């Protein structure tokens, strides 16, 4: 089992920045990939960015150049720095971890943190 706790959401003005954090606990040695997803009202959950244990990253086109995902393995934490925020970035942001406990893969989600971009 892996537990994920997000923090750092809130209300931000357009053009502003924020940093989301996701702390993992439990069977953390099994974690392969961690990432951030978001879900706006009436829309499907979508990938924002993810990062592998080898620090390879993937970003959604909508956030490329504005987002940086990073991880601190010593603290079992993944971060999402978002800059130049737009109202379209408003959503609940979820942390996701993909773990392998041989021979199976498991996916874990955090409870989500609200990000609202508005003046």
């Amino acid at each position: 089992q892996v537990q994920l706790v997000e923090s750092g959401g809130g209300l931000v003005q357009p053009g502003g920045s924020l940093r989301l954090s996701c702390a993992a606990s439990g069977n953390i040695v099994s974690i392969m990939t961690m990432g951030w997803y978001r879900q706006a009202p009436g829309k499907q959950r979508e990938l924002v960015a993810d990062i592998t244990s080898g620090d390879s990253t993937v970003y959604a086109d909508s956030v490329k150049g504005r987002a940086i995902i990073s991880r601190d393995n010593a603290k079992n934490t993944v971060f999402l720095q978002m800059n130049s925020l737009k109202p379209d970035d408003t959503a609940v942001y979820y942390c996701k971890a993909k773990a392998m406990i041989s021979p199976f893969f498991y996916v874990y989600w955090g409870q989500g943190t609200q990000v609202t971009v508005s003046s």
Side-chain angles (χ1 to χ4, degrees):
Q1 285 282 353
V2 173
Q3 295 78 43
L4 304 171
V5 178
E6 302 106 332
S7 60
L11 175 63
V12 184
Q13 290 191 340
S17 300
L18 58 71
R19 189 190 197 206
L20 303 179
S21 300
C22 172
S25 60
N27 191 358
I28 56 175
V29 295
S30 64
I31 294 176
M32 300 172 61
T33 301
M34 295 187 73
W36 290 94
Y37 286 68
R38 66 187 181 186
Q39 187 166 19
K43 295 187 177 181
Q44 290 188 334
R45 193 173 296 189
E46 62 177 8
L47 170 72
V48 179
D50 67 22
I51 184 168
T52 68
S53 56
D55 288 339
S56 294
T57 57
V58 174
Y59 293 93
D61 288 343
S62 59
V63 303
K64 280 181 181 176
R66 301 190 296 121
I68 300 173
I69 188 170
S70 60
R71 61 194 292 174
D72 183 335
N73 291 325
K75 296 182 179 180
N76 308 313
T77 301
V78 65
F79 304 97
L80 181 69
Q81 176 72 38
M82 292 278 293
N83 303 315
S84 302
L85 283 161
K86 307 173 183 179
D88 283 349
D89 294 317
T90 296
V92 178
Y93 283 69
Y94 296 92
C95 180
K96 173 186 173 182
K98 182 178 180 181
M100 182 178 181
I101 304 173
S102 187
F104 302 109
F105 290 96
Y106 297 85
V107 174
Y108 301 94
W109 293 94
Q111 81 285 357
T113 184
Q114 177 70 47
V115 172
T116 302
V117 183
S118 175
S119 56

